Amino acid sequence: MGYVKTAMLMAAMTALFMGVGYLIGGTGGAMIALLVAAGMNVFTWWNSDRMVLRMHNAQPVVRGDRTGLHALTAELARNAGLPEPKVYLIDTPQPNAFATGRNPENAAVAVTSGLIRSLSREELAGVIAHELAHIRNHDTAIMTVTATFAGAISMLANFAMFFGGSRERLGLIGTLLMMFLAPLAAALVQMAISRTREYAADKAGAEICGQPLWLASALEKIAVGAARIDNHAAERNPATAHMFIINPLHAHKHDNLFATHPATENRIAALRAMAGQAGSGRVRDTATVSSSSVPKTRARRQSGPWS
C-alpha cells in the first residue's frame, strides 16, 4: 500500500505542476513546464547526492575507521542485498542520519557525530538499516524528484504575475491565489510522500537488522536529541530536512499535514508491534549484526538495552 500511495502522490504532484503551467501559458505552457521539470530532474538526479553532502559538510569515512562505522554499514548492506554504499560523517552534536544517491549503486549514508556518541551499537545498526532501506526502496531518488517538482512549482507560481495568459484565465485575484496555493499544495504532497516512505523504511530497516526494537530505541533517543540540540547546517538548508531519520528542525509532535516526518511515537509503536509479531513467530528475523562490527571499547562505553 505504501508504494501505491506514493505513486498516487507522485501523479498528483505531476498533475499540479502541469496544471500550473497550463494556467500560466495554456497547453504550450504545460508542455514547457514538463520540459523544464524534466531538465531539472536530470540535473538533480546526477548531482543531488554531492550537493546535499556538501551542504552538510559531510566527510568520507574510510574503511577500517576507529568507530567501526564503515564495517557496520558494509555488513548491513550485505544483509540487505545492496552494494556497499559510501559512508560519511557530519560533525554536529545533534544525533541524526540520512541517505542519498540516485540509485543503490551510487548511494551514500551519512550519520552525525552526535549519533555515534548517543547510541549503542545495536541502536546504531537499526538507524543504518533504516537508511539502507531508503536506498533499497529507491526513496532517495523519489524524494529528489518530488523536491525538484515542488521547487519548480514554486518558481512557476512566482512568475505567474509576469504572464498575461494567467491573468486572462484567472484574473488578478485568481493569479494571486495560485501564487500562494500552488506552492503550498506542492509542499503538502511532498511532505505526505516523505511520511509514507518513512514508515516503509522503518519496517524494512527492522527486517534488515533483524531487531525492530533496536530502531525503536534509537528513534526515542534521536527524537530527544533533535528536540534540544540545533543542527545549524540543516537550519541553513531546510529543504533537506525531509531526508533525515528525524526532522532536524524540531518537527511538530503530531502527524499533521505540515510535518515532514510521521510522529515519532507512532513509528515506535509500529516497530514494537512488529517486534511482538516476531516474538510470536509471525515475523521472522532476517538478519543479525555481529559484535565484531564495532570496536568493543565503544560497545562497553555506550550502554543500550541490548548491549
Side-chain angles (χ1 to χ4, degrees):
M1 287 302 295
Y3 285 107
V4 172
K5 184 176 180 180
T6 299
M8 292 174 62
L9 290 167
M10 289 287 289
M13 181 75 84
T14 304
L16 177 62
F17 186 81
M18 295 187 68
V20 172
Y22 177 79
L23 290 173
I24 291 176
T27 303
M31 294 307 299
I32 292 173
L34 189 60
L35 291 174
V36 170
M40 294 178 69
N41 281 325
V42 168
F43 177 80
T44 54
W45 183 270
W46 286 97
N47 297 285
S48 61
D49 54 344
R50 291 187 291 272
M51 292 166 59
V52 171
L53 292 167
R54 195 178 304 118
M55 286 177 187
H56 293 275
N57 195 28
Q59 300 300 314
V61 176
V62 298
R63 190 184 302 274
D65 65 294
R66 63 182 180 82
T67 65
L69 179 62
H70 195 288
L72 180 60
T73 304
E75 182 177 355
L76 287 164
R78 287 192 295 271
N79 290 344
L82 290 170
E84 188 176 308
K86 296 178 182 177
V87 184
Y88 288 84
L89 184 66
I90 302 171
D91 186 18
T92 179
Q94 184 188 88
N96 229 316
F98 67 81
T100 186
R102 62 184 181 272
N103 54 39
E105 289 72 31
N106 296 275
V109 173
V111 305
T112 67
S113 55
L115 187 80
I116 293 178
R117 288 193 295 267
S118 302
L119 303 187
S120 69
R121 174 183 63 81
E122 292 85 353
E123 292 163 341
L124 183 61
V127 170
I128 294 174
H130 169 98
E131 299 307 332
L132 291 173
H134 275 309
I135 295 170
R136 192 171 69 180
N137 294 343
H138 296 274
D139 293 339
T140 52
I142 290 171
M143 294 314 301
T144 295
V145 171
T146 55
T148 304
F149 266 116
I153 289 171
S154 297
M155 179 186 69
L156 283 177
N158 288 332
F159 279 123
M161 286 295 291
F162 298 98
F163 292 85
S166 63
R167 292 193 294 274
E168 291 172 4
R169 290 180 179 84
L170 302 173
L172 179 60
I173 294 177
T175 301
L176 290 173
L177 286 174
M178 183 185 69
M179 290 174 62
F180 289 102
L181 295 180
L184 177 60
L188 291 177
V189 173
Q190 182 186 5
M191 291 172 183
I193 292 173
S194 178
R195 293 195 300 273
T196 300
R197 303 319 306 156
E198 286 301 319
Y199 279 122
D202 284 344
K203 181 177 185 296
E207 292 170 348
I208 289 170
C209 71
Q211 293 288 348
L213 292 179
W214 292 358
L215 179 55
S217 179
L219 289 175
E220 286 184 310
K221 291 184 179 180
I222 297 170
V224 171
R228 62 181 181 83
I229 302 173
D230 289 334
N231 185 327
H232 298 294
E235 297 289 348
R236 290 193 301 269
N237 302 282
T240 65
H242 68 277
M243 300 178 64
F244 286 83
I245 189 169
I246 292 288
N247 192 336
L249 308 178
H250 313 316
H252 297 292
K253 251 187 113 173
H254 303 291
D255 272 352
N256 58 47
L257 287 174
F258 297 95
T260 58
H261 292 63
T264 304
E265 50 266 40
N266 292 348
R267 297 169 66 183
I268 292 171
L271 287 164
R272 287 176 175 163
M274 187 177 178
Q277 291 177 342
S280 64
R282 288 192 294 270
V283 176
R284 181 174 60 87
D285 289 346
T286 59
T288 56
V289 182
S290 69
S291 58
S292 61
S293 298
V294 179
K296 292 181 179 178
T297 53
R298 193 174 74 83
R300 283 197 300 267
R301 185 172 68 251
Q302 296 178 345
S303 59
W306 303 281
S307 296

